[in-house]
Amino acid sequence: MRYAVFGNPIAHSKSPQIHAAFAAEFGLPGFQYDKLLAPLDGFGTAVREFVAAGGAGCNVTVPFKEEAFRLAEVLSARARAAGAVNTLMVQADGSLFGDNTDGAGLVADLLRHVPLQGKRLLLLGAGGAARGALLPLLAEQPALLLIANRTVARARALSEDVVQPWLAATGLPAELLPVHGVATFDFLIGGVPLEVTGGASPVRALGKRGVQFDVVINATSASLGGEAIPMAPDAFAADAVAYDMMYGKDETTFLAQARAAGVATRVDGLGMLVGQAAEAFTLWTGHRPDVAPVLASLRAAL
Ligand code: ATR
């Protein structure tokens, strides 16, 4: 079975290594996974050629996830919510199924460190990475989900496109609905949230200063430029978990910030990378791989 990851650039991708390790766990000798550079204006053609040559599925990375979303003929609910596809699979009837496993990979990695049910979550950022995380996070039934972003209009768009429809359709009784809010970073240094909905008494839960968060997820790209998030240290609860979707050999700016704030459990996004791959591998092969040894070897090689 032939699989691949498409991106541009793609040379840096660790996906072939990850999938080869998964395939070895189950002894799938016919499993092949390559990295393929698609031209910036030729992603659709490249995927069609790959499928015509016998490709059974592929991963999609920067900058093609939105294009893959448009290319897919059938979409999973989480891909629809994300507005982006990172996993394509050729179905029995030849149609192209599009999924997004990034958020599930994040949640699986988070759950290795902390349960999310009943917890107060703060999602920093409102770009594609944040959008992809929302449905899998909500499915864990947190008590509170605040989306904070530099540009509040983008946070509001995420709320309106993904969170509000989920709140309206979930069928959970009001007392089990997560309190949901949208804010600028101003809230994190003592301002008030801009909008609050959901939950039994949302305004009481979030409409005051000094709310603390059990899990803080950085989905912004601020760490790339070495910029800190303007956030008061006491926004982290006493035993909070700080999670940065970014990763690298050195500590990310956000995790350094969390360390300075006294946060003991700080996790970078390498486990999310392995987690999204595990979800894709499971979708394609029906085998759920063990992420821990693969994560350990990737960590050692950073
Ligand atoms: P991605 O697909 O990786 O999420 P994106 O859609 O460009 O990329 O989104 C980047 C996110 O990082 C956005 O939330 C962006 O904030 P804005 O919506 O205000 O642009 C956030 N971001 C980028 N640089 C930042 C910085 N220096 N400080 C805070 N937030 C930043």
Side-chain angles (χ1 to χ4, degrees):
M1 291 296 242
R2 267 194 80 195
Y3 299 91
V5 56
F6 286 91
N8 189 331
I10 198 63
H12 66 285
S13 174
K14 300 182 198 306
S15 291
Q17 189 184 337
I18 297 171
H19 282 278
F22 291 164
E25 182 186 342
F26 300 103
L28 304 178
F31 186 95
Q32 185 187 337
Y33 188 109
D34 302 307
K35 49 185 166 195
L36 298 175
L37 179 76
L40 288 176
D41 60 353
F43 170 72
T45 306
V47 170
R48 273 189 284 270
E49 283 173 5
F50 175 72
V51 171
C58 61
N59 285 131
V60 181
T61 187
V62 180
F64 298 126
K65 291 185 186 183
E66 284 80 16
E67 212 175 328
F69 174 83
R70 293 192 292 273
L71 193 68
E73 292 148 284
V74 187
L75 289 164
S76 68
R78 60 194 185 184
R80 219 174 295 124
V85 156
N86 80 329
T87 303
L88 288 165
M89 182 174 73
V90 181
Q91 304 192 111
D93 65 358
S95 62
L96 212 46
F97 174 72
D99 195 4
N100 191 314
T101 66
D102 287 330
L106 163 75
V107 166
D109 197 37
L110 271 170
L111 291 175
R112 285 151 38 87
H113 299 276
V114 60
L116 298 177
Q117 188 168 23
K119 294 294 167 68
R120 298 162 294 180
L121 310 189
L122 170 61
L123 183 61
L124 302 169
R131 182 177 286 261
L134 282 174
L135 275 195
L137 286 173
L138 286 166
E140 295 301 315
Q141 289 185 29
L144 189 156
L145 172 69
L146 181 75
I147 306 172
N149 196 43
R150 185 175 58 180
T151 313
V152 75
R154 293 186 81 192
R156 189 175 289 133
L158 249 54
S159 174
E160 287 171 359
D161 295 351
V162 184
V163 184
Q164 308 287 351
W166 185 88
L167 287 172
T170 176
L172 283 173
E175 60 274 18
L176 290 182
L177 283 181
V179 172
H180 168 58
V182 168
T184 62
F185 293 138
D186 194 36
F187 175 69
L188 307 176
I189 50 174
V192 290
L194 299 169
E195 279 135 37
V196 183
T197 89
S201 47
V203 174
R204 197 151 41 103
L206 194 50
K208 61 178 170 55
R209 289 157 191 253
V211 178
Q212 292 193 310
F213 296 91
D214 304 302
V215 180
V216 182
I217 301 163
N218 179 29
T220 75
S221 43
S223 280
L224 279 182
E227 286 182 63
I229 302 290
M231 178 170 171
D234 60 6
F236 292 101
D239 53 357
V241 172
Y243 195 101
D244 197 340
M245 291 195 190
M246 300 273 161
Y247 67 87
K249 188 172 174 48
D250 300 321
E251 183 181 50
T252 67
T253 308
F254 173 68
L255 293 183
Q257 183 179 355
R259 180 167 47 77
V263 177
T265 308
R266 305 178 303 276
V267 187
D268 73 12
L270 194 63
M272 176 177 173
L273 174 75
V274 182
Q276 63 75 28
E279 289 288 326
F281 186 88
T282 306
L283 176 75
W284 292 330
T285 69
H287 298 288
R288 181 162 287 282
D290 186 4
V291 298
V294 182
L295 180 53
S297 69
L298 284 185
R299 176 77 63 202
L302 270 184

